[in-house]
Amino acid sequence: MEPQQTSEFFREVFYIHYPTVRRKLVGLVRDEAAAEDLAQEVFLRLYRNPPDDPSVMGAWLHRVLTRIAYDYLNKKARERALHEKQSLHILSTEEDQPSNEQILMRQLDQEEMREWLEELPERDRKALLLRYSGYSYAEIAEQLQVRPPLVGTLLHRATERLRRHAEAQTQAHAQIE
């Protein structure tokens, strides 16, 4: 075909098939603006590389618009997944990385807790440290060489002594300030 005939042919195909192509794309991608852009892409491909047999134009356009729509949907799904992954990473990074103030406060709390634990009798201190290190009551009983039923009472009493000591220290601090 000559350039003039090609332009006329393309224009005619465009006016006949554009409404159908656009409607099918809207149905597939569920986005009017995206469907407009994708329809332009379909007709750009038609202009660059038309089918050899003009009688199969409808099928050719349907195959191309379907492929373009699925490519678009896959791209959007990948973008969504990436965005969600980045959002989760940002949230987990913010949660995982405490501020310098939080780090300092945690260190001070740990130092204060160590001092308070040092004030407790050795058996109480050892029982609490074992429990908060994840040891079971049976393992604590074995370490402290006591009967397993006594571990609960021992831990309760040690916790109460620690709490009372911490309260006393906190009140003493408050009176000084």
Side-chain angles (χ1 to χ4, degrees):
M1 274 194 237
E2 294 178 25
Q4 180 69 25
Q5 288 177 324
T6 304
S7 293
E8 284 300 318
F9 171 75
F10 179 77
R11 187 175 293 122
E12 184 179 321
V13 169
F14 180 83
Y15 285 122
I16 293 170
H17 293 282
Y18 180 82
T20 305
V21 168
R22 186 186 167 286
R23 182 175 39 79
K24 287 180 179 181
L25 284 167
V26 168
L28 287 170
V29 299
R30 306 267 188 244
D31 180 342
E32 295 266 344
E36 295 272 343
D37 293 343
L38 296 175
Q40 290 177 16
E41 177 66 26
V42 169
F43 284 98
L44 185 61
R45 287 191 190 180
L46 173 65
Y47 187 78
R48 289 182 181 157
N49 191 17
D52 294 331
D53 183 2
S55 67
V56 296
M57 185 62 65
W60 187 93
L61 288 169
H62 181 75
R63 187 175 68 247
V64 171
L65 80 85
T66 303
R67 188 175 304 136
I68 287 174
Y70 287 148
D71 288 347
Y72 170 81
L73 292 172
N74 287 336
K75 179 183 173 198
K76 285 295 178 192
R78 284 192 309 273
E79 287 172 357
R80 239 186 335 272
L82 179 62
H83 180 71
E84 288 173 11
K85 186 176 179 180
Q86 288 172 337
S87 296
L88 288 174
H89 178 70
I90 289 168
L91 288 175
S92 67
T93 302
E94 288 173 356
E95 292 171 2
D96 291 348
Q97 295 180 351
S99 68
N100 288 338
E101 181 181 359
Q102 289 171 322
I103 292 170
L104 180 61
M105 292 305 292
R106 200 174 296 144
Q107 287 173 344
L108 291 172
D109 288 346
Q110 288 172 353
E111 289 172 17
E112 198 169 37
M113 183 61 76
R114 274 192 221 106
E115 290 172 9
W116 294 341
L117 282 169
E118 290 299 320
E119 301 291 325
L120 293 177
E122 184 178 346
R123 188 168 87 164
D124 289 352
R125 181 175 57 251
K126 195 170 183 182
L128 289 172
L129 289 173
L130 289 170
R131 183 63 188 152
Y132 291 105
S133 295
Y135 284 76
S136 68
Y137 277 35
E139 293 168 324
I140 294 171
E142 184 181 317
Q143 288 287 322
L144 298 178
Q145 298 182 351
V146 297
R147 293 191 343 251
L150 295 177
V151 172
T153 305
L154 183 70
L155 286 170
H156 177 74
R157 288 181 182 159
T159 303
E160 280 303 305
R161 283 189 191 106
L162 182 63
R163 185 186 59 76
R164 282 195 306 268
H165 183 72
E167 285 177 356
Q169 291 293 323
T170 304
Q171 286 176 354
H173 258 299
Q175 289 175 353
I176 293 173
E177 293 174 356

